[in-house]
């Protein structure tokens, strides 16, 4: 049975992905972004937590002992106290907020790269449709999301239980320890729990990111007809393409008819490439490519060369190298001097010209 031309079986093209990206539709994971934010917050607390706690301690002491604005607090001087407390709180909060904003931006850049999509913030009234909302919640995607959330919950609970059970013997002795030892022990247990939680959440987030990327491509699959229509719209009308190709061939043929008769030799790979070379020891520092072509054009170059008595020499490696490495009108590169000099010397011996004319390798 033939495939339905309207069935979406083809992966989305780069053009289709760019179009949906402009509308704000990208494959990204909220879980992955959240765990990056949590990791950034944990690192930030570890790096400046002591400094922040010391600053808060000084603020609290200053307020309680009445020296917050630099003098005892009186009833009419509350504004000075608030300004003093606010300034010191800003010293902690503003750098923290800036760092977390940077971490949030990095978490998005890692997933989808840099792109501003105005379509992502434009209002979409169809999302207010209760029928669409019901389908999102109870449809296949909703079921998958529910299963993934349950899996995450189970894994997190397992990690918490395992870590706490491991620390129960040590934590049960907290009442017998002094404040410093109890604090250190509690911090060690908390840090270990946080590390394991972050590790598990990072694995979950990475898996969710891969799933969201796959789901994004699956949601934007195209039918064979859509791929053909897109290709047609990007490449233009086939008749116009054929006309352009025909004009390009005619121009190439005109150049062949004009330039090949004046060439000294045509170097060929008999089945694919032909390169016409010309060298004038008086005016040129090195031989120059005056015409080149592949397949049909290569055949025409050989035909024109034979009609006008231009020697045709078969040198397959040299013909390929010149065709791919030298443009029409350019001199050959030094790496080809020796091979081209041998060909020209052979041609000059055939027609009796002086071999000393071969100065290409100088």
């Amino acid at each position: 049975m033939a495939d339905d031309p309207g069935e979406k079986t083809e992966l989305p093209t780069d053009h289709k992905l760019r179009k949906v990206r402009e509308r704000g539709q990208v494959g990204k994971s909220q879980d992955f972004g959240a765990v990056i934010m949590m990791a950034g917050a944990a690192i930030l607390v570890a790096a400046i937590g002591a400094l922040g706690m010391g600053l808060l301690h000084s603020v609290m002491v200053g307020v309680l002992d009445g020296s917050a604005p630099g003098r005892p607090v009186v009833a009419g001087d509350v504004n000075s106290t608030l300004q003093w407390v606010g300034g010191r709180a800003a010293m902690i909060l503003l750098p923290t907020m800036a760092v977390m904003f940077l971490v949030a931006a990095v978490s998005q850049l890692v997933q989808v790269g840099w792109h501003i999509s105005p379509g992502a913030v434009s209002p979409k009234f169809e999302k207010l449709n209760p029928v669409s909302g019901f389908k999102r919640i109870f449809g296949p995607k909703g079921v998958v999301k529910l299963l993934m959330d349950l899996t995450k919950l189970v894994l997190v609970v397992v990690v918490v239980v395992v870590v706490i059970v491991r620390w129960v013997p040590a934590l049960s002795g907290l009442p017998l320890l002094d404040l410093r030892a109890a604090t250190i022990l509690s911090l060690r247990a908390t840090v270990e729990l946080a590390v394991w939680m972050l590790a598990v959440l990072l694995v979950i987030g990475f898996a969710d990111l891969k799933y969201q990327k796959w789901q994004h491509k699956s949601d934007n699959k195209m039918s064979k007809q859509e791929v053909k229509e897109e290709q047609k719209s990007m490449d233009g009308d086939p008749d116009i393409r054929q006309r352009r190709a025909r004009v390009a061939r005619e121009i190439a043929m005109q150049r062949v008819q004009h330039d090949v008769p004046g060439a000294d030799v045509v170097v060929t790979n008999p089945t694919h490439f032909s390169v016409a070379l010309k060298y004038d020891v008086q005016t040129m520092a090195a031989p120059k490519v005056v015409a080149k072509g592949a397949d049909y054009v290569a055949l025409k170059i050989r035909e024109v060369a034979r009609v006008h008595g231009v020697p045709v020499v078969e040198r397959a490696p040299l013909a390929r190298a010149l065709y791919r490495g030298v443009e029409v009108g350019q001199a050959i590169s030094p790496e080809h001097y020796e091979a081209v000099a041998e060909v020209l010397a052979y041609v000059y011996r055939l027609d009796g010209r002086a071999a000393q004319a071969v100065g290409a390798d100088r």
Side-chain angles (χ1 to χ4, degrees), residues 166-190:
R166 180 177 177 277
W167 279 91
V168 163
L171 295 176
S172 61
L174 281 178
L176 304 178
L177 302 176
D178 58 32
L179 180 60
R180 178 181 176 84
T183 302
I184 292 175
L185 182 62
S186 300
L187 285 175
R188 287 177 58 193
T190 302

Side-chain angles (χ1 to χ4, degrees), residues 75-89:
D77 204 22
V78 175
N79 287 339
S80 298
T81 302
L82 292 177
Q83 291 175 4
W84 185 81
V85 172
R88 277 149 183 77

Side-chain angles (χ1 to χ4, degrees), residues 321-344:
L322 292 175
Y323 179 83
R324 291 168 178 160
V326 186
E327 295 300 323
V328 175
Q330 291 183 349
I332 65 173
S333 56
E335 63 191 77
H336 303 133
Y337 282 179
E338 184 176 354
V340 172
E342 291 177 358
V343 171
L344 289 175

Side-chain angles (χ1 to χ4, degrees), residues 63 169 178 188 230 284 288 313 343:
V63 172
D178 58 32
R188 287 177 58 193
E230 180 186 283
M284 298 179 184
K288 182 172 68 174
V313 179
V343 171

Side-chain angles (χ1 to χ4, degrees), residues 19-36:
K19 287 178 63 178
V20 298
R21 182 184 177 91
E22 290 172 358
R23 298 198 297 267
Q25 299 177 16
V26 292
K28 66 177 182 178
S29 168
Q30 298 296 335
D31 292 338
F32 186 79
V35 74
I36 295 297

Side-chain angles (χ1 to χ4, degrees), residues 2 31 47 60 65 69 84 87 108 123 127 156 169 190 195 199 238 248 254 279 281 287-288 329 331 341 357:
D31 292 338
M60 184 177 294
D65 67 7
W84 185 81
Q108 297 303 309
K127 289 188 176 181
V156 169
T190 302
V195 169
Q254 290 174 3
Y279 179 59
V281 71
K288 182 172 68 174

